Amino acid sequence: MNASEKEALYQEAEATVIQHFKQKFELDVVITSKELLPEMAVSQIGLKGHVKDHEDQSFGISYDYKKKVTKNLVISPEIEEVMMAKGHDPYDK
């Protein structure tokens, strides 16, 4: 995969994750890091971030760029509390 293909996947993953948090949890998030996971094992990008203006409300999530889905959500207790207060169960599939 060349650099421009990789950058396009990063942009797609970031936009998808931001939209996912906005639609599912009513949260505006900032992506702070992106990493292409080993291609021979999985077709995923790992992303980390936090709720806008609340760095303690952090998360990690994967984006499967072949299936175009988010998966493997990991959240801090602080963001979990905010999600639950808004009436959203972060563990509901």
Side-chain angles (χ1 to χ4, degrees), residues 57-89:
Q57 298 172 13
S58 60
F59 65 89
I61 193 167
S62 297
Y63 174 70
D64 186 320
Y65 55 85
K66 287 192 177 171
K67 294 180 180 176
K68 310 289 186 200
V69 296
T70 58
K71 55 196 329 184
N72 306 323
L73 177 63
V74 178
I75 55 175
S76 68
E78 293 83 3
I79 196 172
E80 177 183 22
E81 187 177 316
V82 171
M83 289 172 171
M84 298 296 261
K86 288 178 173 274
H88 302 292
D89 182 353

Side-chain angles (χ1 to χ4, degrees), residues 35-49:
E35 177 186 9
L36 187 63
L37 302 177
E39 290 179 74
M40 63 185 129
V42 292
S43 56
Q44 295 179 25
I45 296 171
L47 299 99
K48 293 181 182 178

Side-chain angles (χ1 to χ4, degrees), residues 28-30 32 49-58:
D28 292 318
V29 298
V30 176
T32 56
H50 59 81
V51 174
K52 188 175 181 180
D53 300 324
H54 298 279
E55 291 185 25
D56 61 322
Q57 298 172 13
S58 60

